[in-house]
Amino acid sequence: MTQKRIAVYPGSFDGLTFGHIDIIKRASLLFDELVVGIARRPQKDLCFTVKERMEMLKKATAGISNVRVCDFKGLTVDFAHRIGARFIVRGLRAISDFEYEIQLALLNREMDRQIETVFLATSTEYIFLSSSAVKDVILHEGSAKKLVPDYVEKALRKKLLKNKR
Ligand code: ADP
């Protein structure tokens, strides 16, 4: 029997965007199983708890049978190892992503040579899209309808504008 091709798509997903969802859908076609990994990192500037991010990701991926959502603590390569994944998926937007992402990929390879990082280029309509850009739009009371699912927009509005009103 050939080995199942399992990939991890790790990230913060702090404000799940259509850019993330696009990468998930496209990566799910490349692997037998795609595990979206919510990194449990102590970051002061995050809007959502792990539980909230998990709920949003589960909602967005409910119709894709080979995708599951997990959270993890520690190094991505260690998480990948634990779940039998040999691939790490990352999305690339502009050149500015490249510098950070290549460094991360090389570091991960240094730590575990069995695991390959696979980059998916963003779809052109999402090249400008990031969770932080969406937060800016919401903070300035603009519409994020074309950027994130409606439940994410609603949740961001609730978090970000609660002290403004
Ligand atoms: P992290 O804190 O790990 O960068 P993010 O949630 O910001 O977490 O991003 C997770 C992954 O999704 C990264 O590889 C990032 O480059 C990718 N990504 C984010 N937004 C987009 C987008 N609009 N198009 C393609 N990839 C994206």
Side-chain angles (χ1 to χ4, degrees):
M1 209 178 79
T2 53
Q3 207 182 349
K4 223 172 142 190
R5 294 163 73 86
I6 305 172
V8 183
Y9 176 38
S12 312
F13 307 105
D14 191 53
L16 177 68
T17 70
F18 287 136
H20 292 129
I21 296 172
D22 177 59
I23 295 287
I24 293 171
K25 283 186 181 155
R26 288 163 51 213
S28 74
L29 302 174
L30 301 176
F31 302 99
D32 297 315
E33 187 179 353
L34 179 71
V35 180
V36 182
I38 305 170
R40 270 186 182 271
R41 288 189 194 110
Q43 272 172 27
K44 276 184 250 137
D45 54 346
L46 293 184
C47 261
F48 296 113
T49 63
V50 169
K51 189 165 167 261
E52 288 168 328
R53 285 180 274 158
M54 175 89 73
E55 275 164 16
M56 289 178 214
L57 272 160
K58 280 191 172 164
K59 215 169 189 167
T61 58
I64 320 173
S65 61
N66 64 336
V67 172
R68 65 187 172 98
V69 187
C70 284
D71 63 290
F72 72 98
K73 226 178 172 164
L75 296 174
T76 305
V77 285
D78 291 340
F79 173 59
H81 221 85
R82 280 201 298 279
I83 61 168
R86 285 182 298 128
F87 305 93
I88 294 173
V89 171
R90 296 287 288 176
L92 279 182
R93 283 159 294 188
I95 311 250
S96 51
D97 273 350
F98 182 78
E99 211 170 308
Y100 171 69
E101 293 291 344
I102 192 81
Q103 201 178 8
L104 202 63
L106 294 176
L107 192 67
N108 281 335
R109 190 192 294 155
E110 204 48 48
M111 287 188 283
D112 192 331
R113 291 192 172 262
Q114 316 269 316
I115 296 174
E116 280 293 350
T117 298
V118 176
F119 293 114
L120 291 190
T122 182
S123 294
T124 32
E125 63 266 44
Y126 304 129
I127 194 155
F128 59 87
L129 186 51
S130 65
S131 300
S132 49
V134 175
K135 287 174 191 162
D136 273 349
V137 169
I138 302 267
L139 270 171
H140 293 92
E141 310 204 22
S143 167
K145 208 176 152 76
K146 292 186 180 156
L147 313 177
V148 297
D150 54 354
Y151 47 89
V152 176
E153 177 169 10
K154 223 165 136 185
L156 276 170
R157 253 178 226 296
K158 212 166 149 188
K159 294 258 177 186
L160 296 172
L161 300 179
K162 72 170 184 247
N163 298 326
K164 262 189 110 181
R165 295 207 161 127

